[in-house]
Amino acid sequence: MTFDQLRTLLVVHETGSALRAARVLGREQSSVQKQLDTLNRNSQVLCGEVLTVRQGRGRDFLFTPTGEATVELARGTFEKWLESIHLSRRRLGRMLTVGTTEFTLPIVSRAWNRVSEEFRQREVEFKVAHVRTKDVWSRLENRQVDLICGSIVSTPEGDLRLTEYEVIEYARGQALLLTNLAEAELPDAPVATSRLGGVPLVVPPAGLVADLLATWYGTNFRERLNVVADIDDVHYGLSLLRSGFVRGCMIVTGSIGRGMAAQEDPDAVPLRAIGLHDDLEPKAELMTGAFVRRADLERYDAGHPLNRLWCAVKEDVRTYTPLA
């Protein structure tokens, strides 16, 4: 049984037929069918049961219990094999994967400009992965990226998750309340976090803002707040407020809040940025930065692409004004 045969079996399982699998693999249908026949003969001899059974013209293959078990075994084998290959390539400095949220992309972009020519000469495969804020920690902990730039909720007591990471901090501060309510409805004076239950809120289901509200109000914060709209991302929330379709407030970072409040659009509802006064415990701030596993930096020498990129990020933070 070869890797190529196992790959064919996986594609047939995913597509349902030899014809569709052949299209995916760029082969002739007869070649795919020949591999299936070989696998079925071997399985019959070894296990007493074939892997696949034809069900008639136009119908997908039926996979026997032995076939399903073999597919799961093949899938696990390929995943472990690919993971091992990727780890080896990372260890040898042949591949580097960086994760970034939309708003922290400039950090990676500027750092990349400092090392891009060196990486090209060394033929380092450099990949950038779009990461939603809610997935920052899972992508790091699952080793799906080597370095990540994003924002997290930070408390004075410190975040235990950071103990295993090196951190380059770009910005730290309080969130703002962005609103389309008139000043008569909501004055410009800072709103105490303990009073957020008294304002209509536009809230995402997960991510930075949800983490912030959970820090103040617990995981059941929706039951304690006046949520007038659920949003999937910040852009939809901004559009919702500027349209005037929903009247309320949205918690945003300082840079987004000030930027949106400064925009003048005669066709849109004007927005105001109002400060938040954190009077709840624990105190929470928004921190934007770059994160990398300390063990990885120590495992590799100074010339490894990960260490070179990390140094480039350090140089960037000394050169550029921190994000507000």
Side-chain angles (χ1 to χ4, degrees):
M1 188 176 293
T2 67
F3 261 41
D4 189 51
Q5 289 172 340
L6 290 177
R7 182 180 66 156
T8 297
L9 185 68
L10 284 174
V11 177
V12 171
H13 187 267
E14 292 169 0
T15 61
S17 73
L19 177 60
R20 289 192 289 271
R23 291 170 180 167
V24 171
L25 295 168
R27 295 178 176 175
E28 296 294 329
Q29 180 180 354
S30 58
S31 173
V32 171
Q33 188 59 57
K34 183 177 179 180
Q35 286 190 317
L36 287 179
D37 292 341
T38 300
L39 287 168
N40 278 331
R41 285 197 303 271
N42 291 340
S43 179
Q44 181 70 57
V45 171
L46 292 171
C47 306
E49 184 178 50
V50 297
L51 304 180
T52 63
V53 178
R54 292 185 183 182
Q55 298 194 90
R57 187 178 181 83
R59 300 181 63 187
D60 289 353
F61 277 102
L62 172 66
F63 276 71
T64 65
T66 301
E68 292 289 352
T70 303
V71 165
E72 288 305 308
L73 179 63
R75 184 176 288 115
T77 299
F78 272 99
E79 288 176 355
K80 291 180 180 178
W81 180 72
L82 288 172
E83 181 181 357
S84 177
I85 292 296
H86 289 159
L87 288 176
S88 295
R89 296 191 70 198
R90 288 173 175 172
R91 176 176 56 82
L92 296 171
R94 299 303 302 274
M95 183 178 77
L96 195 65
T97 303
V98 175
T100 173
T101 63
E102 178 181 355
F103 299 105
T104 57
L105 181 59
I107 298 175
V108 174
S109 178
R110 293 192 300 263
W112 163 249
N113 288 334
R114 297 174 183 272
V115 297
S116 58
E117 185 57 34
E118 175 189 340
F119 281 16
R120 289 192 184 98
Q121 292 179 3
R122 294 172 59 178
E123 297 183 345
V124 177
E125 182 181 356
F126 184 76
K127 294 183 177 181
V128 177
H130 176 211
V131 178
R132 301 289 294 271
T133 303
K134 65 183 179 68
D135 299 322
V136 166
W137 285 113
S138 63
R139 297 292 287 271
L140 267 177
E141 292 168 352
N142 294 334
R143 305 183 69 85
Q144 295 176 326
V145 294
D146 299 292
L147 181 153
I148 201 164
C149 290
S151 299
I152 64 169
V153 173
S154 177
T155 60
E157 293 78 11
D159 196 319
L160 294 178
R161 291 174 298 184
L162 292 177
T163 57
E164 298 179 1
Y165 296 91
E166 289 292 330
V167 181
I168 297 176
E169 189 173 311
Y170 267 72
R172 178 184 290 270
Q174 296 290 336
L176 293 178
L177 207 57
L178 193 65
T179 183
N180 58 7
L181 297 176
E183 189 173 351
E185 299 173 89
L186 185 65
D188 281 330
V191 176
T193 52
S194 62
R195 307 277 307 236
L196 285 175
V199 297
L201 290 175
V202 175
V203 178
L208 195 64
V209 172
D211 290 345
L212 197 58
L213 291 172
T215 301
W216 290 326
Y217 285 89
T219 55
N220 64 335
F221 63 85
R222 288 175 177 276
E223 300 174 10
R224 304 175 62 186
L225 298 172
N226 178 21
V227 179
V228 295
D230 290 296
I231 58 173
D232 286 334
D233 59 56
V234 66
H235 294 294
Y236 183 73
L238 295 173
S239 297
L240 204 58
L241 291 180
R242 292 187 73 86
S243 71
F245 182 63
V246 169
R247 296 185 59 76
C249 308
M250 187 168 70
I251 297 175
V252 295
T253 62
S255 57
I256 293 176
R258 286 185 287 271
M260 292 302 299
Q263 289 186 10
E264 295 184 4
D265 185 348
D267 298 323
V269 175
L271 302 179
R272 292 182 299 127
I274 302 173
L276 281 174
H277 169 60
D278 192 355
D279 61 343
L280 293 174
E281 295 293 341
K283 305 296 183 186
E285 292 182 312
L286 301 183
M287 193 267 276
T288 298
F291 308 85
V292 68
R293 287 176 292 273
R294 184 178 295 112
D296 287 349
L297 293 179
E298 295 173 349
R299 183 181 299 115
Y300 306 136
D301 60 44
H304 189 278
L306 180 59
N307 279 303
R308 293 288 300 119
L309 183 63
W310 190 245
C311 288
V313 175
K314 285 183 177 179
E315 293 172 8
D316 177 70
V317 78
R318 287 193 291 265
T319 303
Y320 286 83
T321 303
L323 299 173

